[in-house]
Amino acid sequence: MHDTTLAGGCDSPVRAGKAVGGTPFVQTRGSGAYAYDEAGARFVDYVMAYGPLLFGHAHPAFSSGLDTLARTGTLFGSTHGEEVRLAERIRAHVPSMERIRFTTTGTEAVMSAVRVARAYTRRPLVLRFGGNYHGHSDLALLGAGASAETADALAGGIPAAASADIALARYNDLSSVDAVLSSRERQLAAILVEPIVGNMGLVLPEPGFLEGLAERARRYGALVIFDEVISWLRLGLGGAQARVGIVPDLTTVGKILGGGFPIAAFGGNAEVMRVLAPHGSVFTGGTHAGNPFCVAMAHRTLDLLEERPDFYVQMNAIAERLAEGLRAMFRDLQLPYVVLQLESIVDFKFRSGRVRNYDDARASDARLFARYYHEMRARKILLPPSQNEVMFVSTAHTEADVDETLAAAREALERVTETVGEAGRTLRTG
Ligand SMILES: Cc1ncc(COP(=O)(O)O)c(C=O)c1O
């Protein structure tokens, strides 16, 4: 619709709704759990800006006192006490991040962590997993989830040299790891992984998978990088690493940290991080990195979460209500979809059986999802326009929002499955 000025009409293909067709959702404002369109209609929003809005839109902590804050300067070209204090606070919650450097986006955080790992090990190869999204740098895109599928490297603008030093394995499949690494183990710099995946829908690591990765990294003298850009703060102040009990060498965080403002970070083992200039020779930087305004917003995020541990209990209960409601509906309608819920993340796919990896995720019925998405949108429920994305619940979502969502989902599913004929019957019988 805005294709004459914005390339592709949006700032990303997922926002453009490439996977579902139709016109992209155009938002004019957000408030709490709701997004408003150009006509002023209110939608229950489960996109939540793809994760950052843990407290919903325009929470007072991130919309009040901003002019006062701005008056002391929004951007310094120097370090400042508050960014040091922020790093200390992050480290207190994620002890593996012994040294931290701030960036503006998750993309930069991952790019930089990988460069650090390559410099530290003096090796080129990075092992990644299909369906894990790590931002849009050259090294991150091939086979990535989150609707960032770039199958043809050259047509996607990625030089062969960038992909030559990426080994792409299947999530939850250690034998595929061994197969893609075979004879290249001594070139391996790092294993880059989402410890809990939010970018091919919600996919949990099976017992032994992350342990197997960590063991291989140690055996080959490589590093483990946990990309916690989605999972940190979404799954508590300790992130995914506190749950899985594995200490990565490097970690990337972002999204929720800024409470809706752009700030991200990477960090890890102090000795590894010493390769960064000025100690070492690895350059990373950024004009807006660690700016005082976003750092202040990050402090506000941590203030809220440290003061209100009950927020996690509350979001979990709301998400559980949504997940349970969907499960009951699928049983009722004899649909074979599996609903997953982890804390404030809820997900299901239009396929039967659990999703273990990206091949499973891609085997979901895209046509059914597209119809479901639009039926939900017509009922004023805003879902992410791709099955690779998940539904995010915030502290602003209420039981009433969930009940409205479930009522809409029932109508939408009935319409979608009754009108798809053969496909619907196949699904009903599993
Ligand atoms: C796990 C993960 N890593 C990295 C990124 C990139 O972050 P950003 O969009 O801030 O560049 C994302 C974004 O969705 C992500 O989900």
Side-chain angles (χ1 to χ4, degrees):
M1 110 191 303
H2 297 291
D3 202 18
T4 48
T5 43
L6 288 179
C10 279
D11 294 324
S12 82
V14 67
R15 284 186 205 176
K18 190 170 170 242
V20 293
T23 53
F25 183 73
V26 181
Q27 188 168 340
T28 50
R29 67 186 184 94
S31 174
Y34 309 123
Y36 294 82
D37 71 6
E38 288 180 306
R42 188 209 82 171
F43 292 70
V44 182
D45 181 5
Y46 292 99
V47 182
M48 287 286 123
Y50 298 96
L53 302 180
L54 192 69
F55 310 102
H57 293 278
H59 185 281
F62 306 100
S63 54
S64 56
L66 303 191
D67 46 358
T68 311
L69 186 62
R71 274 198 287 274
T72 58
T74 54
L75 186 59
F76 304 156
S78 339
T79 187
H80 51 101
E82 284 300 277
E83 73 169 341
V84 178
R85 191 169 72 85
L86 181 62
E88 285 166 358
R89 288 181 86 179
I90 294 173
R91 184 171 63 184
H93 293 298
V94 188
S96 72
M97 296 177 79
E98 293 172 350
R99 295 289 183 279
I100 289 170
R101 187 165 277 187
F102 291 107
T103 62
T104 307
T105 65
T107 295
E108 293 166 277
V110 174
M111 228 170 65
S112 308
V114 166
R115 183 172 301 147
V116 163
R118 282 174 162 161
Y120 180 76
T121 57
R122 294 181 172 255
R123 295 169 171 188
L125 187 65
V126 174
L127 177 73
R128 281 187 30 224
F129 297 91
N132 282 203
Y133 178 70
H134 302 292
H136 64 275
S137 69
D138 282 354
L139 73 93
L141 270 187
L142 288 179
S147 322
E149 190 58 53
T150 307
D152 180 337
L154 271 185
I158 297 170
S163 24
D165 284 322
I166 297 295
L168 198 60
R170 268 160 46 124
Y171 200 78
N172 277 328
D173 183 351
L174 289 171
S175 64
S176 88
V177 168
D178 293 333
V180 298
L181 284 184
S182 72
S183 78
R184 296 192 75 190
E185 294 90 346
R186 299 289 151 203
Q187 294 171 28
L188 186 66
I191 300 178
L192 171 62
V193 65
E194 282 185 77
I196 288 169
V197 192
N199 281 304
M200 47 177 162
L202 174 61
V203 176
L204 306 182
E206 290 177 351
F209 175 62
L210 295 173
E211 290 80 356
L213 296 184
E215 185 276 315
R216 280 162 178 75
R218 302 288 169 257
R219 190 167 5 126
Y220 304 142
L223 305 184
V224 173
I225 308 174
F226 273 5
D227 184 349
E228 295 227 40
V229 167
I230 287 185
S231 56
W232 186 53
L233 300 180
R234 177 70 49 193
L235 302 179
L237 284 152
Q241 57 196 266
R243 287 169 185 248
V244 300
I246 291 171
V247 182
D249 301 289
L250 292 164
T251 298
T252 56
V253 298
K255 293 219 187 230
I256 291 170
L257 176 60
F261 293 84
I263 180 167
F266 66 100
N269 179 286
E271 185 201 316
V272 172
M273 291 289 281
R274 267 188 85 80
V275 301
L276 282 164
H279 294 304
S281 43
V282 173
F283 184 87
T284 74
T287 303
H288 293 91
N291 71 74
F293 191 90
C294 291
V295 163
M297 294 299 117
H299 278 297
R300 291 182 183 194
T301 300
L302 294 182
D303 290 345
L304 271 176
L305 290 175
E306 286 169 4
E307 280 161 22
R308 297 287 309 271
D310 57 301
F311 271 154
Y312 285 110
V313 180
Q314 176 193 323
M315 285 187 285
N316 185 56
I318 294 291
E320 206 169 77
R321 186 183 185 90
L322 178 59
E324 275 306 318
L326 289 169
R327 282 184 194 118
M329 196 178 306
F330 294 159
R331 274 197 301 275
D332 239 35
L333 299 172
Q334 295 178 289
L335 294 168
Y337 314 139
V338 178
V339 181
L340 268 187
Q341 179 239 334
L342 183 65
E343 299 270 333
S344 53
I345 309 175
V346 179
D347 186 43
F348 74 89
K349 289 216 181 303
F350 283 87
R351 65 176 300 245
S352 56
R354 220 168 232 280
V355 173
R356 299 178 59 237
N357 55 49
Y358 202 29
D359 293 330
D360 294 346
R362 276 188 294 206
S364 309
D365 190 321
R367 204 170 55 116
L368 274 189
F369 175 75
R371 297 185 60 127
Y372 174 70
Y373 167 84
H374 285 293
E375 291 289 344
M376 290 296 270
R377 202 164 118 182
R379 289 165 180 77
K380 306 288 180 279
I381 308 293
L382 191 64
L383 301 175
S386 159
Q387 280 191 99
N388 280 339
E389 311 288 346
V390 295
M391 283 187 277
F392 288 116
V393 165
S394 73
T395 59
H397 287 81
T398 62
E399 288 188 356
D401 295 326
V402 168
D403 295 346
E404 187 179 329
T405 306
L406 290 171
R410 179 150 200 133
E411 285 178 17
L413 284 164
E414 277 173 354
R415 270 190 80 95
V416 163
T417 50
E418 97 201 355
T419 51
V420 290
E422 204 45 51
R425 278 194 291 281
T426 313
L427 280 163
R428 279 164 195 272
T429 54

